[in-house]
Amino acid sequence: MFAATYSATRSAPMLANAYRQVGNETGISSANPHKLIQMLFDGFAESVAQARGALRARQIEAKGRAISRALAIIDEGLHAGLNLSAGGPLAAELDELYTYVALRLTQANMRNDESALDECVALMEPIRSAWAQIGPQAANSSTYMVANA
């Protein structure tokens, strides 16, 4: 009955996108603030890796989309979430870092510069790793303050 209307080759990408969308929404709705920021760091790393792959494959449009996604994560997620008044020196340093990473991502996109992508990952990875390491402490604490909260 459904075989005539179902095309595995055409529907598979749509199903994969729908699954990803549901998975993202489910993950977001059940995540604590710490987990949400971890998801942003992970999404940033994934987007830059996709941009690097697209750059190497000379897929300029895909590279641009991936870098745009990484920029949105930095600007609209991590940077916009900083509490500069309550976060103290850490928030100020993260503010400067996120501004610089956004600049380098833009330059990487304009110049097709893989080394700029590498630099962005190298700058963000220590923060991503540190954030992941404090995850168990954050989950066990009923209240915690972070620069990004």
Side-chain angles (χ1 to χ4, degrees):
M1 177 168 133
F2 294 106
T5 60
Y6 178 75
S7 169
T9 56
R10 287 193 336 199
S11 297
M14 292 185 338
L15 293 172
N17 287 336
Y19 178 81
R20 257 187 244 111
Q21 183 66 28
V22 169
N24 286 343
E25 289 174 6
T26 302
I28 290 170
S29 66
S30 66
N32 63 36
H34 183 274
K35 180 64 177 169
L36 290 172
I37 293 168
Q38 184 67 50
M39 292 169 73
L40 290 173
F41 281 122
D42 293 345
F44 171 82
E46 180 181 328
S47 295
V48 174
Q50 290 172 352
R52 182 182 294 110
L55 182 61
R56 288 178 180 172
R58 303 210 189 287
Q59 298 172 339
I60 301 306
E61 185 178 336
K63 177 222 39 166
R65 280 194 310 269
I67 290 176
S68 292
R69 198 167 37 253
L71 271 166
I73 289 168
I74 292 292
D75 287 338
E76 298 167 20
L78 296 170
H79 203 185
L82 288 176
N83 185 341
L84 295 173
S85 60
L90 176 60
E93 289 179 20
L94 288 172
D95 178 55
E96 290 176 13
L97 174 68
Y98 296 156
T99 299
Y100 180 75
V101 169
L103 172 68
R104 293 299 286 150
L105 285 171
T106 302
Q107 291 171 342
N109 194 26
M110 291 176 10
R111 300 174 185 161
N112 292 321
D113 185 354
E114 188 174 346
S115 67
L117 294 175
D118 295 339
E119 179 184 6
C120 292
V121 170
L123 290 168
M124 294 297 290
E125 189 56 36
I127 299 162
R128 177 182 180 213
S129 296
W131 195 261
Q133 288 178 345
I134 64 169
Q137 292 170 319
N140 293 333
S141 174
S142 60
T143 60
Y144 58 92
M145 288 187 59
V146 294
N148 282 78

